[in-house]
Amino acid sequence: MTNSNKSNQNADPDEPDLLPAPLAYLNPDFLNSPDGRILRILSEYAEPLSRFRREKIQDTVVFFGSARFASLPDAQNALTILEKPGSATPAPLEKQPGGKDGDTLQAALKRAHAGVEMARYYEDARRLAHMLTDWTRTLPGKRHRFVVTSGGGPGIMEAANRGAREAGGKTIGLNIRLPFEQYPNQFITPELNFEFHYFFMRKYWFAYLAKALVVFPGGFGTLDEFFEILTLAQTHKLAKKILVIVYGKEYWNSVLNLEALVDAGTISPEDVNGFTIVDTPEEALEVLKEGLTKYHLQPQQHAKHAAEEGPEIAKTLP
């Protein structure tokens, strides 16, 4: 008689049979626990890598900028609603947007006017992404080059994905799950719509597929990504050239005073040359085409082709 049979003979007939334990990789209690964190982190590396490989993505151009900018028609419509509610009998002031009191309404009007003014950056990002995608679709090769990529949300992110989509190209959205949900915009290529839990894994995919960064006017998040790339370049952590294009001279000259850092000795004078400031989509496209061609589209006989099985992740220096 086998040990198994002996065990069954000794089992209490009133006790239910012991069911198989769940497989570790199918156990949500474990996967969502602190002990499962390393697997969640690895998943946010391996799963995007698998999709980039499947979709034949070689490298990207990343657009950053404010999530709060709307398209020009949307911004004008928001202003119209405040200035002219548009009904035969306008709603009472307190029921209009921002209309709790006169001061609040004036503040809402001020924001709406600013929204119309800043909408030009949405339209410029959309146009630049369209023109860049038109150009990249003429490049030879089996894989997609310099694919327009954004953080996946509204504002400048939406504008970049929208322009690329309208040009008929693939476009990537690297979204982040937040307590106040940021939903992916409708213009992302569905197969390239990502959602991350960890900011640092999202940043990894922003930085290590990018061959260029286009920084439109924005807030803390835009500044964070902008200075992170500048820091990686300054500290020689990237073996490949990442072009940095800063869009909007008027905005950035009023926000940044890097010469003060030079005067204080906190950065070197040459560090302020780590990016190019432009003011039109056409100017930005020319800088991108020149730089991407010079650093990443070498003549065929001298080119080092990335392995066909995966994307060309930017190398780092020792």
Side-chain angles (χ1 to χ4, degrees):
M1 187 175 290
T2 65
N3 289 337
S4 175
N5 289 338
K6 287 180 180 179
S7 176
N8 290 337
Q9 278 187 339
N10 295 330
D12 186 339
D14 295 328
E15 287 289 330
D17 291 337
L18 185 63
L19 298 176
L23 294 169
Y25 58 84
L26 295 177
N27 184 347
D29 290 337
F30 166 66
L31 292 175
N32 293 311
S33 71
D35 289 332
R37 181 175 291 117
I38 184 61
L39 297 180
R40 298 196 300 273
I41 292 170
L42 287 173
S43 294
E44 292 200 345
Y45 170 78
E47 195 272 344
L49 179 63
S50 173
R51 271 201 268 170
F52 287 133
R53 181 184 294 120
R54 185 171 67 244
E55 294 299 315
K56 300 186 182 304
I57 304 300
Q58 180 162 331
D59 41 28
T60 63
V61 172
V62 180
F63 283 59
F64 287 116
S66 177
R68 303 185 183 192
F69 297 162
S71 67
L72 185 57
D74 287 347
Q76 288 173 330
N77 184 57
L79 178 59
T80 299
I81 290 173
L82 285 171
E83 289 185 328
K84 300 175 182 178
S87 59
T89 305
L93 180 64
E94 66 273 9
K95 294 196 179 290
Q96 294 180 23
K100 292 292 184 182
D101 55 55
D103 290 340
T104 305
L105 179 57
Q106 288 306 310
L109 281 167
K110 182 178 179 181
R111 288 194 300 272
H113 279 287
V116 171
E117 173 65 21
M118 301 307 280
R120 74 178 191 269
Y121 293 116
Y122 179 106
E123 300 301 336
D124 285 357
R126 179 180 173 185
R127 177 165 170 74
L128 174 58
H130 192 294
M131 293 192 300
L132 176 63
T133 303
D134 275 341
W135 174 65
T136 62
R137 295 184 71 204
T138 68
L139 301 176
K142 295 181 180 179
R143 292 185 296 158
H144 301 282
R145 301 302 310 271
F146 315 130
V147 179
V148 169
T149 300
S150 83
I156 295 298
M157 297 177 281
E158 176 186 292
N161 293 133
R162 184 175 184 175
R165 179 76 171 267
E166 290 169 341
K170 290 181 179 289
T171 183
I172 300 167
L174 304 178
N175 221 305
I176 185 75
R177 181 163 295 182
L178 301 172
F180 301 99
E181 296 290 343
Q182 174 183 301
Y183 290 101
N185 68 68
Q186 62 181 313
F187 302 104
I188 301 166
T189 301
E191 296 79 10
L192 295 168
N193 177 30
F194 298 89
E195 181 136 341
F196 291 86
H197 173 76
Y198 296 104
F199 264 109
F200 65 89
M201 289 309 303
R202 183 186 188 226
K203 284 174 174 285
Y204 173 87
W205 286 115
F206 273 138
Y208 284 94
L209 282 183
K211 296 296 171 58
L213 184 73
V214 185
V215 185
F216 277 81
F220 289 159
T222 303
L223 289 167
D224 173 43
E225 301 293 352
F226 175 34
F227 282 107
E228 183 169 50
I229 294 297
L230 291 184
T231 300
L232 289 172
Q234 181 199 49
T235 54
H236 303 289
K237 282 295 184 180
L238 296 173
K240 291 189 176 182
K241 176 71 172 179
I242 295 184
L243 304 172
V244 180
I245 311 297
V246 174
Y247 194 99
K249 294 178 184 178
E250 180 183 359
Y251 179 87
W252 288 112
N253 285 339
S254 68
V255 170
L256 298 178
N257 182 12
L258 298 185
E259 290 299 331
L261 301 182
V262 175
D263 294 342
T266 55
I267 64 173
S268 301
E270 60 269 19
D271 289 335
V272 300
N273 300 322
F275 56 89
T276 303
I277 300 180
V278 300
D279 233 7
T280 67
E282 291 75 16
E283 186 181 2
L285 180 66
E286 286 308 307
V287 174
L288 284 168
K289 286 170 63 176
E290 180 181 352
L292 293 172
T293 300
K294 176 180 179 180
Y295 294 108
H296 305 295
L297 291 175
Q298 298 299 327
Q300 194 71 17
Q301 62 269 29
H302 300 303
K304 292 183 178 180
H305 299 291
E308 285 297 327
E309 65 273 10
E312 190 175 13
I313 297 173
K315 298 176 181 178
T316 57
L317 294 172

